[in-house]
Amino acid sequence: MFCYQCEQTTRLPTGDGCASAKGLCGKDATTADLQDLLVHAVKGIAQQARRARALGVPDNDAGAFMLHALFTTLTNVNFNPTRFVTLLHEAAAVRDRVAARCEAALVADSDTAQTAPAPTGPAVDWTPAADLTGLLAQAATVPVNADLARVGADVVGLRALILYGMKGVAAYANHAAVLGYTRDAVFAGVEETMAYLASDPTDMAELLDRALSVGRLNLQVMEMLDAANTGRFGTPHPTAVRVTPVAGKAILVSGHDLGDLEALLKQTAGTDINVYTHGEMLPAHGYPALKAYPHLVGNFGGAWQDQQTDFATFPGPILMTSNCIIEPGPRYRQRIFTTGPVGWPGVRHLADHAFAPLIAAAHALPGFKADDLKTAGPEQTVTVGFGGDAVLGVAGAVVEAVKAGDIRHFFLIGGCDGAAAGRNYYSDFATGAPDDTVVLTLGCAKYRFNRHEFGSIGGIPRLLDIGQCNDSYSAIRIASALAEAFGCGVNDLPLSLVVSWFEQKAAAVLLTLLALGIRNIRLGPTLPAFLTPTLLAVLVERFGIQPITTAPDDIAAALTCAA
């Protein structure tokens, strides 16, 4: 195996990347290699699907399969090699079905053959081996760094940036698709980009432009996902969320998928089961359609990397709906369930919202006992729900506070949390921001500081929780609206972006910000291993990307530049 797609990547003097029997995420070599082969298979589907679209017979079912397949290869999503064997054979069948669709279209109109020639190359010609040994032999020919000796680390790194951005695009688009929101332009963009990667491109300028096109595609996807979430669940409103438990039977829901949460709330309505959110599910409490369920009682625990402690102490079953699962500990392995793209060997998977086994487990387990909560202390809350509409609803007051000098600066501290050393930078940054500044946050990095008392400025809370990383579109809307109100560009606002990256969704968002021309983003805690010194130099020169230093120094630098 060779993998360097996330911030956990092993850092070695001989070359960055996890290349042993198991990656730092817990993914074994077999699973990692099968994921590489699945990406290869998706490239072949994309080649055929792009041709089908050119022939006037687009196949969005193939597009939906590609979204799901790529999603399963993200960090901390699916660790089950058996599932990847199944997906590989499904991928070949999908590709061949689309190819047959193309041939049928040519029979109906032979004149179109010149405008849509048959694709060629190893991905479109690949046939899955009959057994695991054969599949692993095939996978050995298509790792992410397969062409390193021929094209060099810079080209491989840019290809990886595009691929990892596309994995993030696929994840966000899949979240929207399961809520019934899709767009032809998104499917076409996925087909085009994955087919481009199948061509083994080597031109550096072209690759960088293509990476920015991934960012533009992701902007469409994030807007679609925002429409899906608000269309289905309503516009988020500021909401105080209880973070201390209540007595009663309990289910804990982690991940990102709001549709899964809604289905579970419907199935547990009127029972004696309370539902709690965990990790990136915290912002669910701001949506009217979800908080209307009185048994959605609060949030339990912290960010994804704390789950082995959080889940061990939770007295009920756990449902993982998307990334970010890590190896289940022995104290809860028998009471954790997966759904959607998630998988772990030996963990029960529930498809199609068939949550009866999960609910039965909740009835069988003790839940929170009233006597156990007597020493828990007073009820504690955090406030969520400051999405685009909520913040823009008070934009006039915000603008006036800036003009009056009451608000000096905005810091958007967004992205993923993680276990690696150095992430205390983000808590130090947020709590160290001066009292005349406002902190906007999204993603699970907020758990490092969202219980801190920030206070308010003229009735405007100094901490505004925009939501999940899935809600990045709201942050873009807010920045764009403020720029319009002040009659300037986003880069001219008293706004600094401090991004905590971990996995491929963050790569997609970063590419979107760069495609929008946003400069001087501070990125950490470590830079992606696939960004070679040459690539980093390009990003620094063209976009002003800044590796983080220390929180006090970076705060001072941001405020000095804005003065």
Side-chain angles (χ1 to χ4, degrees):
M1 69 176 282
F2 177 83
C3 183
Y4 60 176
Q5 68 178 10
C6 79
E7 195 264 338
Q8 294 176 117
T9 295
T10 300
R11 308 278 171 160
L12 297 170
T14 54
D16 291 337
C18 295
S20 62
K22 181 178 285 189
L24 290 183
C25 67
K27 181 172 58 179
D28 62 35
T30 295
T31 302
D33 291 346
L34 293 176
Q35 289 180 353
D36 285 343
L37 188 58
L38 183 58
V39 169
H40 181 70
V42 167
K43 292 176 183 177
I45 297 173
Q47 288 178 282
Q48 292 289 8
R50 181 177 63 171
R51 187 188 190 207
R53 193 169 299 277
L55 291 170
V57 287
D59 193 322
N60 288 345
D61 288 340
F65 176 86
M66 287 191 285
L67 298 181
H68 176 79
L70 287 173
F71 195 173
T72 64
T73 70
L74 265 72
T75 302
N76 292 358
V77 174
N78 199 312
F79 295 76
N80 191 341
T82 302
R83 180 56 183 146
F84 285 105
V85 172
T86 301
L87 283 170
L88 284 164
H89 288 280
E90 289 178 0
V94 169
R95 182 201 59 206
D96 293 345
R97 175 177 58 75
V98 179
R101 188 181 182 93
C102 291
E103 295 308 313
L106 288 172
V107 170
D109 184 4
S110 59
D111 292 338
T112 61
Q114 295 299 317
T115 61
T120 59
V124 78
D125 294 333
W126 168 78
T127 299
D131 58 20
L132 179 60
T133 300
L135 290 172
L136 292 175
Q138 292 178 331
T141 67
V142 291
V144 69
N145 63 344
D147 276 350
L148 182 61
R150 180 175 68 88
V151 302
D154 296 335
V155 167
V156 169
L158 271 177
R159 290 179 184 174
L161 176 60
I162 294 169
L163 173 61
Y164 299 152
M166 285 304 299
K167 288 187 178 189
V169 167
Y172 287 137
N174 188 82
H175 281 304
V178 297
L179 294 177
Y181 283 68
T182 61
R183 290 181 184 171
D184 283 352
V186 170
F187 286 128
V190 172
E191 295 161 7
E192 179 65 30
T193 305
M194 294 306 295
Y196 172 76
L197 288 175
S199 71
D200 294 332
T202 59
D203 184 272
M204 292 280 290
E206 181 183 86
L207 282 161
L208 184 57
D209 286 345
R210 182 68 64 159
L212 296 178
S213 76
V214 172
R216 289 187 288 272
L217 174 63
N218 190 55
L219 181 62
Q220 296 182 55
V221 170
M222 289 194 300
E223 188 276 331
M224 178 175 69
L225 179 54
D226 181 77
N229 285 336
T230 57
R232 176 78 164 263
F233 308 113
T235 300
H237 298 290
T239 302
V241 182
R242 184 179 178 125
V243 293
T244 46
V246 298
K249 302 288 186 177
I251 294 175
L252 187 61
V253 184
S254 194
H256 302 73
D257 199 291
L258 301 180
D260 289 334
L261 176 61
E262 180 191 47
L264 179 62
L265 289 169
K266 287 180 179 179
Q267 293 178 38
T268 52
T271 71
D272 61 346
I273 298 172
N274 293 321
V275 176
Y276 296 80
T277 57
H278 177 270
E280 283 269 54
M281 274 294 186
L282 170 61
H285 294 268
Y287 288 93
L290 297 176
K291 68 181 181 181
Y293 290 92
H295 62 301
L296 180 63
V297 296
N299 189 77
F300 181 88
W304 67 271
Q305 79 278 359
D306 297 328
Q307 67 187 255
Q308 289 178 325
T309 300
D310 294 341
F311 294 177
T313 58
F314 187 80
I318 303 106
L319 179 66
M320 287 297 305
T321 68
S322 66
N323 53 319
C324 314
I325 192 172
I326 57 179
E327 182 171 7
R331 292 178 59 188
Y332 63 89
R333 184 182 291 269
Q334 298 306 313
R335 53 186 174 87
I336 185 171
F337 299 79
T338 62
T339 192
V342 193
W344 192 281
V347 168
R348 287 170 287 182
H349 188 78
L350 307 177
D352 302 320
H353 294 156
F355 293 144
L358 174 72
I359 295 169
H363 284 299
L365 289 163
F368 289 101
K369 300 294 187 181
D371 288 344
D372 297 335
L373 300 177
K374 288 180 180 179
T375 59
E379 176 182 335
Q380 300 176 45
T381 63
V382 297
T383 302
V384 302
F386 292 100
D389 289 311
V391 175
L392 295 180
V394 295
V398 171
V399 171
E400 289 305 312
V402 173
K403 290 180 177 178
D406 296 328
I407 295 177
R408 178 169 39 148
H409 204 79
F410 299 89
F411 294 107
L412 174 59
I413 305 175
C416 322
D417 204 359
R423 288 185 176 270
N424 60 306
Y425 167 93
Y426 296 95
S427 54
D428 292 345
F429 197 111
T431 59
D435 290 344
D436 58 354
T437 64
V438 172
V439 175
L440 301 97
T441 187
L442 53 79
C444 61
K446 64 171 145 278
Y447 278 105
R448 291 190 174 262
F449 50 81
N450 68 344
R451 296 197 189 190
H452 179 78
E453 181 52 57
F454 285 88
S456 61
I457 300 173
I460 301 166
R462 284 195 56 235
L463 178 66
L464 301 175
D465 185 346
I466 298 172
Q468 299 179 337
C469 71
N470 290 16
D471 298 311
S472 296
Y473 184 71
S474 281
I476 292 171
R477 284 182 61 205
I478 292 167
S480 299
L482 289 176
E484 182 177 352
F486 285 108
C488 65
V490 171
N491 291 319
D492 300 314
L493 287 171
L495 169 68
S496 298
L497 277 68
V498 186
V499 175
S500 168
W501 91 280
F502 181 80
E503 43 87 291
Q504 297 78 66
K505 286 182 177 178
V509 173
L510 178 63
L511 288 175
T512 296
L513 296 175
L514 299 183
L516 288 170
I518 296 175
R519 296 182 53 81
N520 302 321
I521 299 168
R522 286 180 167 80
L523 183 63
T526 59
L527 295 178
F530 49 85
L531 291 184
T532 65
T534 299
L535 298 182
L536 178 59
V538 171
L539 295 180
V540 170
E541 178 182 359
R542 185 164 173 180
F543 303 106
I545 290 287
Q546 302 177 47
I548 63 171
T549 60
T550 68
D553 287 349
D554 287 349
I555 291 170
L559 295 176
T560 299
C561 290

Short mmCIF file of all heavy atoms in Angstrom, two decimals, residues 352-402:
data_model
loop_
_atom_site.label_atom_id
_atom_site.label_comp_id
_atom_site.label_asym_id
_atom_site.label_seq_id
_atom_site.Cartn_x
_atom_site.Cartn_y
_atom_site.Cartn_z
N ASP A 352 -30.73 0.93 3.88
CA ASP A 352 -32.09 1.39 3.57
C ASP A 352 -32.88 1.81 4.81
O ASP A 352 -34.10 1.60 4.90
CB ASP A 352 -32.86 0.31 2.81
CG ASP A 352 -32.16 -0.10 1.52
OD1 ASP A 352 -31.63 0.79 0.83
OD2 ASP A 352 -32.12 -1.31 1.23
N HIS A 353 -32.20 2.40 5.76
CA HIS A 353 -32.84 2.91 6.99
C HIS A 353 -33.59 1.82 7.75
O HIS A 353 -34.59 2.11 8.45
CB HIS A 353 -33.81 4.06 6.66
CG HIS A 353 -33.10 5.28 6.14
ND1 HIS A 353 -33.72 6.24 5.36
CD2 HIS A 353 -31.82 5.72 6.29
CE1 HIS A 353 -32.87 7.20 5.06
NE2 HIS A 353 -31.70 6.91 5.62
N ALA A 354 -33.11 0.59 7.66
CA ALA A 354 -33.71 -0.52 8.41
C ALA A 354 -33.08 -0.54 9.81
O ALA A 354 -32.19 -1.34 10.10
CB ALA A 354 -33.48 -1.83 7.68
N PHE A 355 -33.57 0.34 10.68
CA PHE A 355 -32.93 0.58 11.96
C PHE A 355 -33.50 -0.25 13.11
O PHE A 355 -33.18 0.01 14.28
CB PHE A 355 -33.02 2.07 12.31
CG PHE A 355 -32.22 2.97 11.41
CD1 PHE A 355 -32.70 4.22 11.06
CD2 PHE A 355 -30.99 2.55 10.91
CE1 PHE A 355 -31.95 5.05 10.22
CE2 PHE A 355 -30.25 3.37 10.07
CZ PHE A 355 -30.73 4.63 9.72
N ALA A 356 -34.34 -1.25 12.81
CA ALA A 356 -34.94 -2.05 13.88
C ALA A 356 -33.90 -2.69 14.80
O ALA A 356 -34.08 -2.66 16.04
CB ALA A 356 -35.86 -3.12 13.28
N PRO A 357 -32.79 -3.27 14.28
CA PRO A 357 -31.79 -3.83 15.22
C PRO A 357 -31.16 -2.78 16.12
O PRO A 357 -30.87 -3.05 17.30
CB PRO A 357 -30.75 -4.45 14.27
CG PRO A 357 -31.48 -4.71 13.00
CD PRO A 357 -32.46 -3.57 12.88
N LEU A 358 -30.95 -1.59 15.61
CA LEU A 358 -30.40 -0.49 16.41
C LEU A 358 -31.36 -0.11 17.52
O LEU A 358 -30.96 0.07 18.69
CB LEU A 358 -30.13 0.71 15.50
CG LEU A 358 -29.68 2.02 16.15
CD1 LEU A 358 -28.25 1.90 16.65
CD2 LEU A 358 -29.81 3.18 15.15
N ILE A 359 -32.63 -0.01 17.19
CA ILE A 359 -33.64 0.38 18.17
C ILE A 359 -33.81 -0.72 19.23
O ILE A 359 -33.94 -0.43 20.43
CB ILE A 359 -34.98 0.68 17.46
CG1 ILE A 359 -34.80 1.91 16.55
CG2 ILE A 359 -36.10 0.90 18.45
CD1 ILE A 359 -35.95 2.16 15.61
N ALA A 360 -33.76 -1.99 18.79
CA ALA A 360 -33.85 -3.10 19.74
C ALA A 360 -32.67 -3.06 20.72
O ALA A 360 -32.83 -3.31 21.93
CB ALA A 360 -33.87 -4.43 19.00
N ALA A 361 -31.48 -2.72 20.20
CA ALA A 361 -30.31 -2.61 21.07
C ALA A 361 -30.49 -1.50 22.10
O ALA A 361 -30.08 -1.64 23.26
CB ALA A 361 -29.06 -2.38 20.24
N ALA A 362 -31.11 -0.40 21.69
CA ALA A 362 -31.33 0.71 22.62
C ALA A 362 -32.26 0.28 23.75
O ALA A 362 -32.06 0.65 24.92
CB ALA A 362 -31.91 1.91 21.89
N HIS A 363 -33.29 -0.49 23.43
CA HIS A 363 -34.20 -0.97 24.47
C HIS A 363 -33.49 -1.93 25.42
O HIS A 363 -33.78 -1.95 26.63
CB HIS A 363 -35.40 -1.67 23.83
CG HIS A 363 -36.41 -0.73 23.24
ND1 HIS A 363 -37.09 0.21 23.98
CD2 HIS A 363 -36.87 -0.60 21.96
CE1 HIS A 363 -37.91 0.90 23.21
NE2 HIS A 363 -37.80 0.42 21.98
N ALA A 364 -32.53 -2.70 24.88
CA ALA A 364 -31.86 -3.71 25.70
C ALA A 364 -30.78 -3.13 26.60
O ALA A 364 -30.44 -3.72 27.64
CB ALA A 364 -31.26 -4.79 24.80
N LEU A 365 -30.23 -1.99 26.21
CA LEU A 365 -29.12 -1.39 26.96
C LEU A 365 -29.66 -0.41 28.01
O LEU A 365 -30.79 0.09 27.88
CB LEU A 365 -28.17 -0.69 25.99
CG LEU A 365 -27.34 -1.67 25.13
CD1 LEU A 365 -26.74 -0.97 23.92
CD2 LEU A 365 -26.25 -2.33 25.97
N PRO A 366 -28.87 -0.09 29.03
CA PRO A 366 -29.43 0.64 30.18
C PRO A 366 -29.80 2.09 29.93
O PRO A 366 -30.69 2.63 30.58
CB PRO A 366 -28.32 0.54 31.24
CG PRO A 366 -27.07 0.29 30.45
CD PRO A 366 -27.49 -0.54 29.27
N GLY A 367 -29.12 2.76 29.01
CA GLY A 367 -29.34 4.19 28.87
C GLY A 367 -28.79 4.94 30.06
O GLY A 367 -28.05 4.39 30.89
N PHE A 368 -29.15 6.20 30.17
CA PHE A 368 -28.68 7.02 31.29
C PHE A 368 -29.63 6.86 32.47
O PHE A 368 -30.84 7.05 32.35
CB PHE A 368 -28.60 8.50 30.87
CG PHE A 368 -27.50 8.81 29.91
CD1 PHE A 368 -27.76 8.95 28.55
CD2 PHE A 368 -26.19 8.92 30.35
CE1 PHE A 368 -26.74 9.24 27.65
CE2 PHE A 368 -25.16 9.21 29.46
CZ PHE A 368 -25.44 9.36 28.10
N LYS A 369 -29.07 6.51 33.61
CA LYS A 369 -29.85 6.34 34.83
C LYS A 369 -29.92 7.66 35.59
O LYS A 369 -28.91 8.39 35.71
CB LYS A 369 -29.22 5.27 35.72
CG LYS A 369 -29.12 3.89 35.06
CD LYS A 369 -30.49 3.29 34.82
CE LYS A 369 -30.37 1.85 34.33
NZ LYS A 369 -31.70 1.24 34.06
N ALA A 370 -31.09 7.95 36.14
CA ALA A 370 -31.26 9.22 36.85
C ALA A 370 -30.27 9.35 38.00
O ALA A 370 -29.69 10.42 38.23
CB ALA A 370 -32.69 9.33 37.37
N ASP A 371 -30.03 8.24 38.71
CA ASP A 371 -29.10 8.31 39.84
C ASP A 371 -27.68 8.63 39.38
O ASP A 371 -26.92 9.30 40.10
CB ASP A 371 -29.10 6.98 40.60
CG ASP A 371 -30.40 6.78 41.40
OD1 ASP A 371 -31.13 7.77 41.59
OD2 ASP A 371 -30.66 5.63 41.80
N ASP A 372 -27.32 8.14 38.17
CA ASP A 372 -25.96 8.39 37.67
C ASP A 372 -25.75 9.83 37.26
O ASP A 372 -24.61 10.30 37.16
CB ASP A 372 -25.67 7.48 36.47
CG ASP A 372 -25.72 6.00 36.83
OD1 ASP A 372 -25.48 5.69 38.02
OD2 ASP A 372 -25.98 5.17 35.94
N LEU A 373 -26.85 10.56 37.03
CA LEU A 373 -26.74 11.94 36.55
C LEU A 373 -26.81 12.97 37.66
O LEU A 373 -26.65 14.17 37.40
CB LEU A 373 -27.85 12.21 35.53
CG LEU A 373 -27.85 11.31 34.28
CD1 LEU A 373 -29.05 11.64 33.40
CD2 LEU A 373 -26.56 11.48 33.50
N LYS A 374 -27.03 12.51 38.90
CA LYS A 374 -27.20 13.47 40.00
C LYS A 374 -25.94 14.28 40.24
O LYS A 374 -26.00 15.42 40.69
CB LYS A 374 -27.61 12.72 41.26
CG LYS A 374 -29.04 12.20 41.21
CD LYS A 374 -29.40 11.47 42.49
CE LYS A 374 -30.84 10.96 42.43
NZ LYS A 374 -31.20 10.21 43.68
N THR A 375 -24.79 13.68 39.93
CA THR A 375 -23.52 14.39 40.17
C THR A 375 -23.00 15.09 38.92
O THR A 375 -21.88 15.60 38.91
CB THR A 375 -22.46 13.40 40.67
OG1 THR A 375 -22.28 12.37 39.69
CG2 THR A 375 -22.89 12.76 41.98
N ALA A 376 -23.81 15.09 37.85
CA ALA A 376 -23.35 15.66 36.58
C ALA A 376 -23.28 17.18 36.60
O ALA A 376 -22.66 17.79 35.74
CB ALA A 376 -24.25 15.20 35.44
N GLY A 377 -23.94 17.79 37.58
CA GLY A 377 -23.92 19.25 37.65
C GLY A 377 -25.05 19.86 36.84
O GLY A 377 -25.90 19.17 36.28
N PRO A 378 -25.10 21.19 36.74
CA PRO A 378 -26.19 21.86 36.02
C PRO A 378 -26.13 21.61 34.52
O PRO A 378 -25.09 21.25 33.97
CB PRO A 378 -25.95 23.34 36.34
CG PRO A 378 -24.48 23.43 36.64
CD PRO A 378 -24.13 22.13 37.29
N GLU A 379 -27.27 21.81 33.90
CA GLU A 379 -27.35 21.64 32.44
C GLU A 379 -26.39 22.62 31.75
O GLU A 379 -26.30 23.79 32.11
CB GLU A 379 -28.77 21.91 31.96
CG GLU A 379 -28.93 21.84 30.45
CD GLU A 379 -30.35 22.15 30.01
OE1 GLU A 379 -31.29 21.95 30.81
OE2 GLU A 379 -30.52 22.60 28.85
N GLN A 380 -25.68 22.10 30.74
CA GLN A 380 -24.78 22.92 29.94
C GLN A 380 -25.25 22.90 28.48
O GLN A 380 -25.79 21.88 28.00
CB GLN A 380 -23.35 22.40 30.00
CG GLN A 380 -22.75 22.38 31.40
CD GLN A 380 -21.37 21.77 31.39
OE1 GLN A 380 -20.53 22.07 30.54
NE2 GLN A 380 -21.10 20.90 32.36
N THR A 381 -25.04 24.00 27.78
CA THR A 381 -25.44 24.07 26.38
C THR A 381 -24.35 24.74 25.54
O THR A 381 -23.50 25.47 26.06
CB THR A 381 -26.75 24.88 26.19
OG1 THR A 381 -26.53 26.23 26.61
CG2 THR A 381 -27.89 24.26 26.99
N VAL A 382 -24.41 24.46 24.24
CA VAL A 382 -23.67 25.23 23.25
C VAL A 382 -24.69 25.69 22.20
O VAL A 382 -25.76 25.08 22.06
CB VAL A 382 -22.54 24.41 22.58
CG1 VAL A 382 -21.50 23.99 23.60
CG2 VAL A 382 -23.10 23.17 21.87
N THR A 383 -24.37 26.73 21.49
CA THR A 383 -25.32 27.28 20.53
C THR A 383 -24.85 27.03 19.11
O THR A 383 -23.69 27.28 18.77
CB THR A 383 -25.52 28.79 20.75
OG1 THR A 383 -25.99 29.01 22.08
CG2 THR A 383 -26.56 29.35 19.77
N VAL A 384 -25.76 26.50 18.30
CA VAL A 384 -25.49 26.22 16.89
C VAL A 384 -26.53 26.96 16.05
O VAL A 384 -27.40 27.64 16.57
CB VAL A 384 -25.55 24.70 16.60
CG1 VAL A 384 -24.54 23.96 17.46
CG2 VAL A 384 -26.96 24.15 16.82
N GLY A 385 -26.44 26.81 14.73
CA GLY A 385 -27.50 27.32 13.86
C GLY A 385 -27.26 28.67 13.22
O GLY A 385 -28.18 29.28 12.69
N PHE A 386 -25.98 29.14 13.26
CA PHE A 386 -25.68 30.42 12.62
C PHE A 386 -25.28 30.19 11.16
O PHE A 386 -24.17 30.51 10.75
CB PHE A 386 -24.58 31.15 13.38
CG PHE A 386 -25.00 31.62 14.74
CD1 PHE A 386 -24.64 30.91 15.87
CD2 PHE A 386 -25.77 32.77 14.90
CE1 PHE A 386 -25.03 31.33 17.13
CE2 PHE A 386 -26.16 33.21 16.15
CZ PHE A 386 -25.80 32.48 17.28
N GLY A 387 -26.20 29.60 10.40
CA GLY A 387 -25.96 29.39 8.98
C GLY A 387 -26.06 30.69 8.21
O GLY A 387 -26.24 31.78 8.78
N GLY A 388 -25.97 30.57 6.89
CA GLY A 388 -25.96 31.76 6.05
C GLY A 388 -27.14 32.67 6.28
O GLY A 388 -26.97 33.89 6.45
N ASP A 389 -28.34 32.13 6.32
CA ASP A 389 -29.53 32.96 6.47
C ASP A 389 -29.57 33.64 7.83
O ASP A 389 -29.97 34.81 7.95
CB ASP A 389 -30.79 32.12 6.26
CG ASP A 389 -30.97 31.73 4.80
OD1 ASP A 389 -30.88 32.61 3.93
OD2 ASP A 389 -31.20 30.54 4.53
N ALA A 390 -29.18 32.90 8.88
CA ALA A 390 -29.21 33.48 10.22
C ALA A 390 -28.24 34.65 10.34
O ALA A 390 -28.57 35.70 10.91
CB ALA A 390 -28.89 32.42 11.27
N VAL A 391 -27.03 34.49 9.82
CA VAL A 391 -26.03 35.56 9.91
C VAL A 391 -26.41 36.72 9.00
O VAL A 391 -26.32 37.90 9.40
CB VAL A 391 -24.63 35.02 9.57
CG1 VAL A 391 -23.62 36.17 9.55
CG2 VAL A 391 -24.20 33.97 10.59
N LEU A 392 -26.87 36.40 7.80
CA LEU A 392 -27.22 37.48 6.87
C LEU A 392 -28.44 38.25 7.35
O LEU A 392 -28.64 39.41 6.98
CB LEU A 392 -27.46 36.91 5.48
CG LEU A 392 -26.21 36.30 4.81
CD1 LEU A 392 -26.54 35.75 3.43
CD2 LEU A 392 -25.09 37.32 4.72
N GLY A 393 -29.25 37.60 8.21
CA GLY A 393 -30.41 38.29 8.78
C GLY A 393 -30.03 39.44 9.69
O GLY A 393 -30.82 40.36 9.92
N VAL A 394 -28.81 39.39 10.23
CA VAL A 394 -28.33 40.48 11.08
C VAL A 394 -27.14 41.18 10.43
O VAL A 394 -26.36 41.85 11.11
CB VAL A 394 -27.95 39.97 12.49
CG1 VAL A 394 -29.18 39.45 13.21
CG2 VAL A 394 -26.86 38.90 12.42
N ALA A 395 -27.03 41.04 9.12
CA ALA A 395 -25.88 41.62 8.41
C ALA A 395 -25.81 43.13 8.59
O ALA A 395 -24.72 43.70 8.70
CB ALA A 395 -25.94 41.26 6.92
N GLY A 396 -26.97 43.77 8.62
CA GLY A 396 -26.98 45.22 8.79
C GLY A 396 -26.33 45.62 10.10
O GLY A 396 -25.51 46.56 10.15
N ALA A 397 -26.67 44.91 11.17
CA ALA A 397 -26.08 45.20 12.48
C ALA A 397 -24.59 44.91 12.49
O ALA A 397 -23.80 45.65 13.11
CB ALA A 397 -26.79 44.40 13.57
N VAL A 398 -24.20 43.86 11.80
CA VAL A 398 -22.78 43.51 11.72
C VAL A 398 -22.01 44.61 11.00
O VAL A 398 -20.94 45.06 11.45
CB VAL A 398 -22.59 42.16 11.01
CG1 VAL A 398 -21.12 41.90 10.72
CG2 VAL A 398 -23.18 41.02 11.85
N VAL A 399 -22.54 45.06 9.87
CA VAL A 399 -21.88 46.11 9.09
C VAL A 399 -21.75 47.39 9.92
O VAL A 399 -20.69 48.03 9.93
CB VAL A 399 -22.64 46.37 7.78
CG1 VAL A 399 -22.09 47.61 7.08
CG2 VAL A 399 -22.56 45.16 6.86
N GLU A 400 -22.81 47.75 10.62
CA GLU A 400 -22.76 48.96 11.44
C GLU A 400 -21.75 48.82 12.57
O GLU A 400 -21.06 49.78 12.92
CB GLU A 400 -24.15 49.28 12.00
CG GLU A 400 -25.13 49.76 10.95
CD GLU A 400 -24.61 50.96 10.17
OE1 GLU A 400 -24.12 51.92 10.82
OE2 GLU A 400 -24.68 50.94 8.93
N ALA A 401 -21.65 47.60 13.14
CA ALA A 401 -20.68 47.39 14.23
C ALA A 401 -19.25 47.52 13.71
O ALA A 401 -18.38 48.03 14.42
CB ALA A 401 -20.90 46.01 14.85
N VAL A 402 -19.03 47.10 12.48
CA VAL A 402 -17.70 47.25 11.89
C VAL A 402 -17.41 48.73 11.63
O VAL A 402 -16.33 49.25 11.96
CB VAL A 402 -17.58 46.43 10.59
CG1 VAL A 402 -16.25 46.73 9.89
CG2 VAL A 402 -17.70 44.94 10.88
#
